[in-house]
Amino acid sequence: MMHSPLRDQPDFASSVIVTAQQMQAVEATIFAEGMPVAALMEKVAGKVARWIMQHFPRDRFPLVGCIVGPGHNGGDALVVARELHHRGYQMLIWYPFAQVKELTAQHKAYLEYLGVRFTQASEELNFCDLLIDGGFGLGLTRPLTGELATGIRTLNTGTVPVVSIDLPSGLESNTGEVLGVAVQATHTLCLGLWKLGLLQDRAQPWVGQCHLIPFDVPLTALQPALQDQPPPCCLTAAAAIARLPLPRSPIAHKYTAGHALLIAGSRQYAGAALLAAQGALASGVGMLTLVVPESLRLMVVSQLPEALVIGATETAQGAIAALPDDWEWDRYDVVACGPGLTIDAASVVKAVLQSDRPLVLDADGLNSLAQEDDPKGRLAARTAPTLLTPHVGEFRRLFPQPWQAAASPSLAASQAAIAAHSTLILKGAISAIAHADGQLWFNPDSSAALARGGSGDVLTGLVTGLAAQLAQTAVTDTMLLDAAIAAVWWHAQTGRAIAAQQTELGCPASELAKQLPRVLAEQLQTANATAPVW
Protein backbone atom coordinates (compact mmCIF):
# COMPACT_ATOMS: atom_id res chain seq x y z
CA MET A 1 0.00 0.00 0.00
CA MET A 2 1.32 3.45 -0.90
CA HIS A 3 2.53 5.48 2.07
CA SER A 4 0.75 8.67 0.98
CA PRO A 5 2.20 12.05 1.91
CA LEU A 6 -1.27 13.55 1.33
CA ARG A 7 -2.59 11.42 4.15
CA ASP A 8 0.35 11.59 6.52
CA GLN A 9 1.70 15.14 6.22
CA PRO A 10 -0.19 18.07 7.70
CA ASP A 11 2.32 20.41 5.97
CA PHE A 12 1.93 18.70 2.60
CA ALA A 13 1.38 21.86 0.54
CA SER A 14 4.62 23.35 1.91
CA SER A 15 6.65 20.23 1.12
CA VAL A 16 5.33 18.94 -2.22
CA ILE A 17 7.59 19.41 -5.26
CA VAL A 18 6.10 20.03 -8.71
CA THR A 19 7.21 20.19 -12.31
CA ALA A 20 6.66 23.29 -14.42
CA GLN A 21 3.69 21.61 -16.10
CA GLN A 22 2.08 20.74 -12.75
CA MET A 23 2.56 24.27 -11.41
CA GLN A 24 1.04 25.73 -14.56
CA ALA A 25 -1.95 23.39 -14.15
CA VAL A 26 -2.39 24.49 -10.53
CA GLU A 27 -2.27 28.16 -11.49
CA ALA A 28 -4.71 27.59 -14.36
CA THR A 29 -7.19 26.01 -11.93
CA ILE A 30 -6.82 28.87 -9.44
CA PHE A 31 -7.43 31.46 -12.16
CA ALA A 32 -10.36 29.51 -13.65
CA GLU A 33 -12.02 29.36 -10.24
CA GLY A 34 -12.00 33.13 -9.85
CA MET A 35 -8.63 34.28 -8.50
CA PRO A 36 -7.60 37.25 -10.71
CA VAL A 37 -4.10 37.05 -12.12
CA ALA A 38 -3.40 40.59 -10.93
CA ALA A 39 -4.55 39.76 -7.39
CA LEU A 40 -2.26 36.75 -7.13
CA MET A 41 0.64 38.82 -8.48
CA GLU A 42 0.01 41.44 -5.80
CA LYS A 43 -0.18 38.81 -3.07
CA VAL A 44 3.00 37.01 -4.12
CA ALA A 45 5.01 40.16 -4.77
CA GLY A 46 3.94 41.59 -1.42
CA LYS A 47 5.33 38.53 0.33
CA VAL A 48 8.58 38.78 -1.65
CA ALA A 49 8.93 42.47 -0.82
CA ARG A 50 8.43 41.81 2.89
CA TRP A 51 11.05 39.06 2.78
CA ILE A 52 13.52 41.41 1.12
CA MET A 53 12.86 44.20 3.61
CA GLN A 54 13.42 41.78 6.48
CA HIS A 55 16.67 40.32 5.13
CA PHE A 56 18.07 43.35 3.26
CA PRO A 57 17.10 46.45 5.29
CA ARG A 58 17.07 49.81 3.55
CA ASP A 59 19.78 51.38 5.73
CA ARG A 60 22.29 48.78 4.51
CA PHE A 61 20.95 48.19 1.00
CA PRO A 62 19.53 51.54 -0.14
CA LEU A 63 19.95 51.11 -3.92
CA VAL A 64 18.18 48.08 -5.40
CA GLY A 65 18.36 47.03 -9.03
CA CYS A 66 15.79 44.84 -10.82
CA ILE A 67 16.17 42.59 -13.84
CA VAL A 68 12.73 42.62 -15.46
CA GLY A 69 11.63 40.05 -18.03
CA PRO A 70 8.72 40.24 -20.48
CA GLY A 71 6.32 37.91 -18.66
CA HIS A 72 4.66 37.66 -15.29
CA ASN A 73 7.97 36.95 -13.55
CA GLY A 74 8.93 40.45 -14.67
CA GLY A 75 5.57 41.71 -13.46
CA ASP A 76 6.27 40.23 -10.03
CA ALA A 77 9.61 42.06 -9.97
CA LEU A 78 7.95 45.38 -10.88
CA VAL A 79 5.37 45.04 -8.09
CA VAL A 80 8.21 44.25 -5.67
CA ALA A 81 10.05 47.33 -6.95
CA ARG A 82 6.96 49.48 -6.40
CA GLU A 83 6.57 48.30 -2.81
CA LEU A 84 10.25 48.84 -2.04
CA HIS A 85 10.07 52.30 -3.62
CA HIS A 86 7.20 53.19 -1.29
CA ARG A 87 9.33 52.04 1.66
CA GLY A 88 12.14 54.40 0.75
CA TYR A 89 14.47 52.22 -1.31
CA GLN A 90 16.03 53.73 -4.42
CA MET A 91 15.13 51.55 -7.39
CA LEU A 92 16.86 51.05 -10.74
CA ILE A 93 15.06 48.89 -13.33
CA TRP A 94 16.85 47.12 -16.18
CA TYR A 95 14.14 46.47 -18.77
CA PRO A 96 15.73 45.09 -21.96
CA PHE A 97 12.52 43.99 -23.73
CA ALA A 98 10.25 45.88 -26.10
CA GLN A 99 7.46 43.26 -26.23
CA VAL A 100 5.96 42.42 -22.82
CA LYS A 101 2.74 41.02 -21.39
CA GLU A 102 -0.05 43.54 -20.79
CA LEU A 103 -0.03 43.29 -16.99
CA THR A 104 3.75 43.70 -16.88
CA ALA A 105 3.49 46.77 -19.13
CA GLN A 106 0.90 48.31 -16.80
CA HIS A 107 3.18 47.93 -13.79
CA LYS A 108 6.03 49.46 -15.80
CA ALA A 109 3.87 52.47 -16.69
CA TYR A 110 2.93 53.05 -13.06
CA LEU A 111 6.56 52.88 -11.90
CA GLU A 112 7.45 55.46 -14.57
CA TYR A 113 4.64 57.65 -13.20
CA LEU A 114 6.16 57.28 -9.71
CA GLY A 115 9.51 58.48 -11.03
CA VAL A 116 11.39 55.18 -10.67
CA ARG A 117 14.44 55.17 -12.94
CA PHE A 118 14.72 52.71 -15.84
CA THR A 119 17.88 51.86 -17.77
CA GLN A 120 18.85 49.95 -20.89
CA ALA A 121 22.46 49.53 -19.67
CA SER A 122 22.92 46.45 -17.52
CA GLU A 123 26.33 47.63 -16.30
CA GLU A 124 24.59 50.30 -14.21
CA LEU A 125 23.29 47.51 -11.97
CA ASN A 126 26.85 46.84 -10.80
CA PHE A 127 26.60 49.97 -8.62
CA CYS A 128 23.52 48.69 -6.75
CA ASP A 129 23.60 47.26 -3.22
CA LEU A 130 21.14 44.45 -4.08
CA LEU A 131 19.72 42.92 -7.25
CA ILE A 132 16.30 41.38 -7.76
CA ASP A 133 16.14 38.88 -10.61
CA GLY A 134 12.72 38.86 -12.26
CA GLY A 135 13.87 37.95 -15.75
CA PHE A 136 12.49 34.47 -16.46
CA GLY A 137 10.93 32.00 -14.07
CA LEU A 138 8.72 28.99 -14.59
CA GLY A 139 8.65 27.18 -17.90
CA LEU A 140 11.70 28.60 -19.70
CA THR A 141 12.72 26.14 -22.43
CA ARG A 142 15.07 28.05 -24.75
CA PRO A 143 18.59 29.34 -24.05
CA LEU A 144 18.93 32.98 -23.08
CA THR A 145 20.69 34.98 -25.78
CA GLY A 146 21.40 38.52 -26.86
CA GLU A 147 21.56 41.53 -24.57
CA LEU A 148 19.98 39.71 -21.63
CA ALA A 149 22.54 36.89 -21.72
CA THR A 150 25.43 39.35 -22.06
CA GLY A 151 24.15 41.38 -19.13
CA ILE A 152 23.71 38.32 -16.92
CA ARG A 153 27.26 37.15 -17.63
CA THR A 154 28.57 40.56 -16.59
CA LEU A 155 26.45 40.69 -13.44
CA ASN A 156 27.62 37.21 -12.42
CA THR A 157 31.18 38.51 -12.20
CA GLY A 158 30.21 41.07 -9.56
CA THR A 159 29.78 40.77 -5.81
CA VAL A 160 26.31 42.30 -5.41
CA PRO A 161 23.88 39.89 -3.66
CA VAL A 162 21.08 38.66 -5.93
CA VAL A 163 17.56 37.54 -4.98
CA SER A 164 15.88 35.52 -7.75
CA ILE A 165 12.09 35.35 -7.92
CA ASP A 166 10.86 31.74 -8.31
CA LEU A 167 13.94 30.50 -10.23
CA PRO A 168 17.21 32.10 -11.30
CA SER A 169 16.73 33.37 -14.86
CA GLY A 170 18.15 30.83 -17.30
CA LEU A 171 17.55 27.73 -15.16
CA GLU A 172 15.33 24.97 -16.58
CA SER A 173 12.42 24.40 -14.20
CA ASN A 174 12.43 20.59 -14.14
CA THR A 175 16.04 19.52 -14.60
CA GLY A 176 17.99 22.42 -13.10
CA GLU A 177 20.10 22.68 -16.25
CA VAL A 178 21.50 26.03 -17.33
CA LEU A 179 19.99 27.18 -20.62
CA GLY A 180 22.93 29.01 -22.11
CA VAL A 181 23.54 31.29 -19.16
CA ALA A 182 21.84 31.72 -15.80
CA VAL A 183 21.76 34.24 -12.99
CA GLN A 184 23.95 33.18 -10.08
CA ALA A 185 21.62 33.94 -7.18
CA THR A 186 22.46 34.44 -3.53
CA HIS A 187 18.88 33.57 -2.58
CA THR A 188 16.04 32.05 -4.59
CA LEU A 189 12.48 32.70 -3.42
CA CYS A 190 10.44 29.79 -4.78
CA LEU A 191 6.80 30.82 -5.20
CA GLY A 192 3.87 28.74 -4.03
CA LEU A 193 5.31 25.24 -4.36
CA TRP A 194 8.83 23.83 -4.61
CA LYS A 195 10.06 23.44 -8.20
CA LEU A 196 11.81 20.20 -9.13
CA GLY A 197 14.73 21.85 -10.93
CA LEU A 198 15.78 23.80 -7.83
CA LEU A 199 16.41 20.54 -5.96
CA GLN A 200 18.88 19.00 -8.39
CA ASP A 201 22.58 18.97 -7.53
CA ARG A 202 23.46 20.60 -10.86
CA ALA A 203 21.36 23.66 -9.92
CA GLN A 204 23.01 24.36 -6.58
CA PRO A 205 25.79 26.69 -7.84
CA TRP A 206 23.03 28.96 -9.22
CA VAL A 207 20.19 28.94 -6.67
CA GLY A 208 22.13 29.95 -3.54
CA GLN A 209 19.94 29.56 -0.48
CA CYS A 210 16.44 28.49 -1.47
CA HIS A 211 13.34 29.64 0.42
CA LEU A 212 9.68 28.79 -0.16
CA ILE A 213 7.27 31.75 -0.37
CA PRO A 214 3.86 30.06 0.02
CA PHE A 215 0.71 31.68 -1.34
CA ASP A 216 -1.94 29.32 0.06
CA VAL A 217 -2.32 26.84 -2.80
CA PRO A 218 -5.58 24.96 -2.12
CA LEU A 219 -5.32 21.17 -2.11
CA THR A 220 -8.35 21.06 -4.40
CA ALA A 221 -6.23 22.76 -7.07
CA LEU A 222 -3.11 20.73 -6.34
CA GLN A 223 -4.46 17.18 -6.24
CA PRO A 224 -5.74 17.06 -9.86
CA ALA A 225 -2.34 18.23 -11.12
CA LEU A 226 -0.67 15.34 -9.28
CA GLN A 227 -3.01 12.77 -10.90
CA ASP A 228 -2.99 10.50 -7.81
CA GLN A 229 0.74 9.85 -8.15
CA PRO A 230 3.02 10.12 -5.11
CA PRO A 231 4.66 13.51 -5.70
CA PRO A 232 8.24 14.31 -4.73
CA CYS A 233 8.42 16.05 -1.36
CA CYS A 234 10.91 18.13 0.58
CA LEU A 235 12.07 16.90 3.93
CA THR A 236 10.71 19.15 6.66
CA ALA A 237 11.41 19.20 10.36
CA ALA A 238 7.83 18.11 11.01
CA ALA A 239 8.08 15.11 8.66
CA ALA A 240 11.41 13.99 10.13
CA ILE A 241 10.49 14.47 13.79
CA ALA A 242 7.25 12.55 13.30
CA ARG A 243 9.32 9.54 12.20
CA LEU A 244 11.74 9.50 15.14
CA PRO A 245 11.31 6.71 17.73
CA LEU A 246 10.05 9.24 20.28
CA PRO A 247 8.74 9.38 22.89
CA ARG A 248 10.04 6.18 24.44
CA SER A 249 7.88 4.09 26.70
CA PRO A 250 8.55 4.88 30.37
CA ILE A 251 9.20 1.16 30.91
CA ALA A 252 11.59 0.76 27.97
CA HIS A 253 14.85 -1.15 28.45
CA LYS A 254 17.76 -2.00 26.19
CA TYR A 255 16.10 -5.08 24.72
CA THR A 256 13.01 -3.09 23.67
CA ALA A 257 14.99 -0.20 22.11
CA GLY A 258 16.34 -2.16 19.15
CA HIS A 259 19.38 -4.33 18.51
CA ALA A 260 21.49 -3.31 15.50
CA LEU A 261 24.24 -5.37 13.89
CA LEU A 262 26.99 -3.44 12.11
CA ILE A 263 29.53 -5.30 9.95
CA ALA A 264 32.27 -2.88 9.06
CA GLY A 265 35.94 -2.03 8.90
CA SER A 266 39.21 -3.47 7.74
CA ARG A 267 42.82 -3.00 8.69
CA GLN A 268 43.00 -0.29 6.01
CA TYR A 269 39.77 1.48 6.98
CA ALA A 270 39.38 0.99 10.73
CA GLY A 271 38.00 4.51 11.17
CA ALA A 272 34.92 3.76 9.06
CA ALA A 273 33.78 1.12 11.55
CA LEU A 274 34.27 3.51 14.47
CA LEU A 275 32.39 6.36 12.81
CA ALA A 276 29.46 4.18 11.72
CA ALA A 277 29.23 2.75 15.25
CA GLN A 278 29.31 6.24 16.75
CA GLY A 279 26.43 7.24 14.48
CA ALA A 280 24.44 4.19 15.57
CA LEU A 281 25.05 4.85 19.25
CA ALA A 282 24.02 8.49 18.84
CA SER A 283 20.65 7.28 17.49
CA GLY A 284 19.73 5.92 20.93
CA VAL A 285 19.64 2.27 19.83
CA GLY A 286 19.33 -0.10 22.77
CA MET A 287 22.02 -2.58 21.71
CA LEU A 288 24.78 -2.41 19.12
CA THR A 289 26.82 -5.39 18.01
CA LEU A 290 29.83 -4.52 15.86
CA VAL A 291 31.73 -7.11 13.79
CA VAL A 292 35.27 -6.11 12.77
CA PRO A 293 38.43 -8.00 11.78
CA GLU A 294 39.97 -9.69 14.81
CA SER A 295 43.08 -7.52 14.60
CA LEU A 296 40.93 -4.43 15.26
CA ARG A 297 38.82 -5.83 18.08
CA LEU A 298 40.77 -4.58 21.12
CA MET A 299 41.25 -1.12 19.62
CA VAL A 300 37.53 -0.86 18.88
CA VAL A 301 36.57 -2.04 22.36
CA SER A 302 38.75 0.67 23.87
CA GLN A 303 37.02 3.32 21.73
CA LEU A 304 33.44 2.01 21.97
CA PRO A 305 32.79 0.51 25.41
CA GLU A 306 29.01 0.70 24.80
CA ALA A 307 29.11 -1.76 21.89
CA LEU A 308 29.41 -5.54 21.87
CA VAL A 309 32.45 -6.04 19.61
CA ILE A 310 33.06 -9.34 17.84
CA GLY A 311 36.34 -10.08 16.06
CA ALA A 312 35.98 -12.04 12.81
CA THR A 313 38.52 -14.09 10.91
CA GLU A 314 40.31 -11.95 8.37
CA THR A 315 42.08 -12.14 5.06
CA ALA A 316 45.79 -11.54 4.57
CA GLN A 317 44.89 -7.98 3.56
CA GLY A 318 43.03 -7.38 6.84
CA ALA A 319 39.44 -7.62 5.61
CA ILE A 320 36.68 -9.68 7.24
CA ALA A 321 36.93 -13.14 5.70
CA ALA A 322 33.70 -14.75 6.90
CA LEU A 323 31.06 -14.88 9.58
CA PRO A 324 30.56 -18.07 11.62
CA ASP A 325 28.42 -20.70 9.88
CA ASP A 326 25.95 -20.77 12.78
CA TRP A 327 25.47 -17.01 12.87
CA GLU A 328 22.14 -16.17 14.56
CA TRP A 329 20.64 -13.52 12.35
CA ASP A 330 17.37 -13.44 14.24
CA ARG A 331 19.04 -11.82 17.23
CA TYR A 332 19.16 -8.53 15.35
CA ASP A 333 16.41 -6.13 14.30
CA VAL A 334 18.45 -4.52 11.50
CA VAL A 335 21.80 -5.34 9.87
CA ALA A 336 24.16 -2.77 8.33
CA CYS A 337 27.07 -3.80 6.15
CA GLY A 338 29.72 -1.99 4.18
CA PRO A 339 31.62 0.93 5.76
CA GLY A 340 35.35 0.31 5.34
CA LEU A 341 34.96 -3.39 4.40
CA THR A 342 36.92 -3.35 1.11
CA ILE A 343 35.75 -5.64 -1.71
CA ASP A 344 37.87 -8.45 -0.22
CA ALA A 345 34.89 -9.01 2.08
CA ALA A 346 32.54 -9.87 -0.82
CA SER A 347 31.64 -13.25 0.67
CA VAL A 348 30.38 -11.51 3.81
CA VAL A 349 28.20 -9.22 1.71
CA LYS A 350 26.69 -12.25 -0.02
CA ALA A 351 25.86 -13.83 3.35
CA VAL A 352 24.21 -10.62 4.53
CA LEU A 353 22.11 -10.38 1.36
CA GLN A 354 20.90 -13.94 1.92
CA SER A 355 19.72 -13.15 5.47
CA ASP A 356 16.10 -12.47 6.35
CA ARG A 357 16.91 -9.26 8.26
CA PRO A 358 16.15 -5.67 7.23
CA LEU A 359 19.40 -4.50 5.68
CA VAL A 360 21.29 -1.23 5.28
CA LEU A 361 23.94 -1.61 2.57
CA ASP A 362 26.65 1.03 2.16
CA ALA A 363 30.08 1.67 0.65
CA ASP A 364 31.92 -1.56 -0.14
CA GLY A 365 28.73 -3.50 0.47
CA LEU A 366 27.39 -1.70 -2.60
CA ASN A 367 30.62 -2.11 -4.55
CA SER A 368 30.64 -5.85 -3.88
CA LEU A 369 27.02 -6.13 -4.97
CA ALA A 370 27.84 -4.22 -8.17
CA GLN A 371 30.22 -7.03 -9.18
CA GLU A 372 27.36 -9.54 -9.37
CA ASP A 373 25.62 -10.35 -12.65
CA ASP A 374 22.18 -9.13 -11.58
CA PRO A 375 22.31 -6.72 -8.61
CA LYS A 376 18.73 -5.54 -9.06
CA GLY A 377 17.46 -9.11 -9.17
CA ARG A 378 19.40 -10.02 -6.04
CA LEU A 379 17.89 -7.08 -4.17
CA ALA A 380 14.37 -7.66 -5.48
CA ALA A 381 14.52 -11.29 -4.34
CA ARG A 382 15.18 -10.39 -0.69
CA THR A 383 12.36 -11.20 1.70
CA ALA A 384 13.15 -8.30 4.05
CA PRO A 385 13.35 -4.54 3.38
CA THR A 386 16.62 -3.14 2.04
CA LEU A 387 18.09 0.36 2.20
CA LEU A 388 20.95 1.39 -0.09
CA THR A 389 23.05 4.47 0.69
CA PRO A 390 25.26 5.21 -2.35
CA HIS A 391 27.01 8.37 -3.38
CA VAL A 392 26.95 9.12 -7.11
CA GLY A 393 29.99 6.98 -7.99
CA GLU A 394 28.64 3.94 -6.14
CA PHE A 395 25.22 4.44 -7.71
CA ARG A 396 26.63 4.56 -11.23
CA ARG A 397 28.52 1.29 -10.70
CA LEU A 398 25.48 -0.42 -9.22
CA PHE A 399 22.80 0.94 -11.58
CA PRO A 400 24.50 2.03 -14.84
CA GLN A 401 21.40 1.78 -17.01
CA PRO A 402 19.07 4.09 -15.02
CA TRP A 403 21.93 6.54 -14.59
CA GLN A 404 22.53 6.82 -18.34
CA ALA A 405 18.86 6.86 -19.36
CA ALA A 406 17.20 9.08 -16.76
CA ALA A 407 16.81 12.82 -17.20
CA SER A 408 18.20 13.54 -13.72
CA PRO A 409 20.04 11.68 -10.94
CA SER A 410 16.96 11.80 -8.72
CA LEU A 411 14.81 10.20 -11.42
CA ALA A 412 17.49 7.52 -11.87
CA ALA A 413 17.37 6.87 -8.11
CA SER A 414 13.59 6.50 -8.25
CA GLN A 415 13.75 4.06 -11.16
CA ALA A 416 16.45 2.01 -9.43
CA ALA A 417 14.51 1.84 -6.17
CA ILE A 418 11.42 0.58 -7.97
CA ALA A 419 13.35 -2.02 -9.99
CA ALA A 420 15.29 -3.27 -6.94
CA HIS A 421 12.29 -3.22 -4.56
CA SER A 422 14.42 -1.17 -2.18
CA THR A 423 14.70 2.20 -0.50
CA LEU A 424 17.65 4.29 -1.67
CA ILE A 425 19.45 7.38 -0.37
CA LEU A 426 21.39 9.01 -3.21
CA LYS A 427 23.85 11.16 -1.27
CA GLY A 428 24.82 14.53 -2.67
CA ALA A 429 24.51 18.27 -2.18
CA ILE A 430 20.73 17.71 -2.22
CA SER A 431 20.32 14.11 -1.09
CA ALA A 432 17.38 12.24 -2.63
CA ILE A 433 15.51 9.41 -0.91
CA ALA A 434 13.65 7.05 -3.24
CA HIS A 435 11.24 4.27 -2.25
CA ALA A 436 10.07 1.21 -4.14
CA ASP A 437 6.50 2.55 -4.35
CA GLY A 438 7.64 5.59 -6.34
CA GLN A 439 7.97 8.11 -3.54
CA LEU A 440 10.84 10.58 -3.85
CA TRP A 441 12.06 12.92 -1.12
CA PHE A 442 14.66 15.70 -1.28
CA ASN A 443 16.59 17.30 1.55
CA PRO A 444 16.98 21.00 0.66
CA ASP A 445 18.63 22.02 3.95
CA SER A 446 22.12 20.57 3.95
CA SER A 447 25.64 21.94 4.11
CA ALA A 448 28.88 21.63 2.19
CA ALA A 449 30.42 21.08 5.63
CA LEU A 450 29.35 17.44 5.23
CA ALA A 451 31.69 17.00 2.24
CA ARG A 452 34.18 15.18 4.45
CA GLY A 453 35.48 11.63 4.60
CA GLY A 454 33.52 9.65 7.17
CA SER A 455 30.35 11.74 7.04
CA GLY A 456 28.55 8.99 5.10
CA ASP A 457 29.70 6.37 7.64
CA VAL A 458 28.04 8.38 10.42
CA LEU A 459 24.83 8.53 8.38
CA THR A 460 24.88 4.76 7.84
CA GLY A 461 25.16 4.15 11.55
CA LEU A 462 22.49 6.72 12.38
CA VAL A 463 19.91 5.32 9.97
CA THR A 464 20.66 1.77 11.14
CA GLY A 465 20.15 2.65 14.79
CA LEU A 466 16.89 4.46 14.06
CA ALA A 467 15.63 1.56 11.92
CA ALA A 468 16.37 -0.95 14.70
CA GLN A 469 14.25 1.11 17.09
CA LEU A 470 11.40 1.52 14.60
CA ALA A 471 11.46 -2.24 14.02
CA GLN A 472 10.29 -2.73 17.59
CA THR A 473 6.87 -1.50 16.51
CA ALA A 474 6.65 -3.35 13.19
CA VAL A 475 8.83 -4.38 10.27
CA THR A 476 7.04 -2.79 7.32
CA ASP A 477 7.81 -1.81 3.74
CA THR A 478 8.15 1.82 4.85
CA MET A 479 10.17 1.28 8.04
CA LEU A 480 13.51 1.93 6.33
CA LEU A 481 12.01 4.88 4.44
CA ASP A 482 10.94 6.43 7.74
CA ALA A 483 14.39 5.84 9.22
CA ALA A 484 16.03 7.36 6.13
CA ILE A 485 13.86 10.49 6.26
CA ALA A 486 14.61 11.05 9.93
CA ALA A 487 18.33 10.26 9.63
CA VAL A 488 19.05 12.36 6.53
CA TRP A 489 17.34 15.37 8.09
CA TRP A 490 18.99 14.92 11.50
CA HIS A 491 22.43 14.35 9.94
CA ALA A 492 22.12 17.47 7.74
CA GLN A 493 20.85 19.69 10.54
CA THR A 494 23.83 18.66 12.65
CA GLY A 495 26.22 19.55 9.83
CA ARG A 496 24.54 22.93 9.44
CA ALA A 497 24.70 23.63 13.16
CA ILE A 498 28.41 22.79 13.36
CA ALA A 499 29.14 24.91 10.27
CA ALA A 500 27.30 27.87 11.82
CA GLN A 501 29.62 27.70 14.84
CA GLN A 502 32.86 26.48 13.26
CA THR A 503 32.50 27.32 9.51
CA GLU A 504 32.10 24.75 6.74
CA LEU A 505 35.71 23.72 7.31
CA GLY A 506 35.13 22.70 10.92
CA CYS A 507 32.92 19.63 10.67
CA PRO A 508 35.01 16.42 10.88
CA ALA A 509 32.98 13.22 11.00
CA SER A 510 33.93 12.45 14.60
CA GLU A 511 32.56 15.86 15.67
CA LEU A 512 29.44 15.24 13.59
CA ALA A 513 28.69 12.01 15.45
CA LYS A 514 29.37 13.64 18.81
CA GLN A 515 27.03 16.59 18.15
CA LEU A 516 24.03 14.58 16.87
CA PRO A 517 22.20 14.34 20.24
CA ARG A 518 22.72 18.02 21.11
CA VAL A 519 21.43 19.27 17.77
CA LEU A 520 18.38 17.01 17.89
CA ALA A 521 17.53 18.35 21.34
CA GLU A 522 17.72 21.91 19.98
CA GLN A 523 15.56 21.03 16.99
CA LEU A 524 12.94 19.41 19.21
CA GLN A 525 12.93 22.45 21.49
CA THR A 526 12.39 24.73 18.50
CA ALA A 527 9.62 22.52 17.12
CA ASN A 528 7.83 22.49 20.47
CA ALA A 529 8.18 26.24 20.84
CA THR A 530 6.59 26.89 17.44
CA ALA A 531 3.85 24.24 17.69
CA PRO A 532 0.30 25.67 17.69
CA VAL A 533 -1.54 25.83 21.00
CA TRP A 534 -5.17 24.77 20.74
Side-chain angles (χ1 to χ4, degrees), residues 388-434:
L388 313 175
T389 61
H391 56 59
V392 168
E394 292 161 346
F395 183 90
R396 291 170 64 180
R397 287 189 288 273
L398 190 57
F399 300 110
Q401 197 280 329
W403 180 265
Q404 294 169 3
S408 66
S410 57
L411 183 58
S414 182
Q415 293 174 355
I418 293 169
H421 296 185
S422 301
T423 303
L424 190 149
I425 302 172
L426 181 57
K427 296 181 289 192
I430 300 286
S431 291
I433 304 172

Side-chain angles (χ1 to χ4, degrees), residues 262-274 290-301 309-323 338-342 344-345 348:
L262 174 60
I263 304 171
S266 61
R267 201 180 305 153
Q268 185 178 2
Y269 299 114
L274 291 174
L290 175 59
V291 178
V292 296
E294 174 59 34
S295 61
L296 301 182
R297 182 175 61 84
L298 292 180
M299 180 276 291
V300 173
V301 168
V309 183
I310 297 174
T313 58
E314 58 189 274
T315 67
Q317 292 76 31
I320 298 174
L323 298 174
L341 277 184
T342 79
D344 291 333
V348 176

Side-chain angles (χ1 to χ4, degrees), residues 18 23 65 139 151 164 188 194 248 274 302 329 347 351 354 382 418 420 423:
V18 293
M23 190 69 211
S164 286
T188 297
W194 291 103
R248 275 188 175 175
L274 291 174
S302 69
W329 294 105
S347 61
Q354 291 169 356
R382 294 199 75 241
I418 293 169
T423 303

Side-chain angles (χ1 to χ4, degrees), residues 320-525:
I320 298 174
L323 298 174
D325 292 335
D326 58 349
W327 190 261
E328 298 179 29
W329 294 105
D330 58 1
R331 295 179 59 189
Y332 309 104
D333 296 299
V334 174
V335 177
C337 178
L341 277 184
T342 79
I343 58 174
D344 291 333
S347 61
V348 176
V349 176
K350 288 183 179 180
V352 167
L353 287 164
Q354 291 169 356
S355 76
D356 64 352
R357 299 289 88 188
L359 173 62
V360 178
L361 204 61
D362 181 43
D364 286 318
L366 300 168
N367 292 331
S368 295
L369 176 61
Q371 294 181 329
E372 297 196 8
D373 293 334
D374 184 16
K376 286 187 290 187
R378 170 63 77 95
L379 292 167
R382 294 199 75 241
T383 59
T386 308
L387 171 65
L388 313 175
T389 61
H391 56 59
V392 168
E394 292 161 346
F395 183 90
R396 291 170 64 180
R397 287 189 288 273
L398 190 57
F399 300 110
Q401 197 280 329
W403 180 265
Q404 294 169 3
S408 66
S410 57
L411 183 58
S414 182
Q415 293 174 355
I418 293 169
H421 296 185
S422 301
T423 303
L424 190 149
I425 302 172
L426 181 57
K427 296 181 289 192
I430 300 286
S431 291
I433 304 172
H435 188 255
D437 69 1
Q439 287 186 66
L440 189 60
W441 294 75
F442 292 87
N443 181 39
D445 294 328
S446 191
S447 169
L450 295 172
R452 299 283 291 266
S455 176
D457 300 320
V458 174
L459 177 61
T460 295
L462 181 62
V463 72
T464 301
L466 290 175
Q469 294 171 75
L470 295 175
Q472 295 297 297
T473 301
V475 176
T476 67
D477 289 341
T478 59
M479 179 192 75
L480 291 179
L481 172 64
D482 291 341
I485 289 170
V488 167
W489 171 83
W490 184 1
H491 183 264
Q493 292 300 319
T494 304
R496 286 163 57 88
I498 295 172
Q501 293 181 338
Q502 300 175 190
T503 79
E504 291 179 340
L505 306 180
C507 186
S510 56
E511 183 72 6
L512 179 68
K514 180 181 178 181
Q515 294 295 330
L516 283 167
R518 177 189 66 81
V519 173
L520 179 60
E522 292 175 354
Q523 290 289 330
L524 292 174
Q525 188 175 29

Side-chain angles (χ1 to χ4, degrees), residues 9 51 94 99 145 159 163 183 214 234 263 267 275 279 352 414 416 505 534:
Q9 278 191 250
W51 188 96
W94 180 40
Q99 301 281 331
T145 58
T159 59
V163 176
V183 168
C234 281
I263 304 171
R267 201 180 305 153
L275 291 169
V352 167
S414 182
L505 306 180
W534 301 101

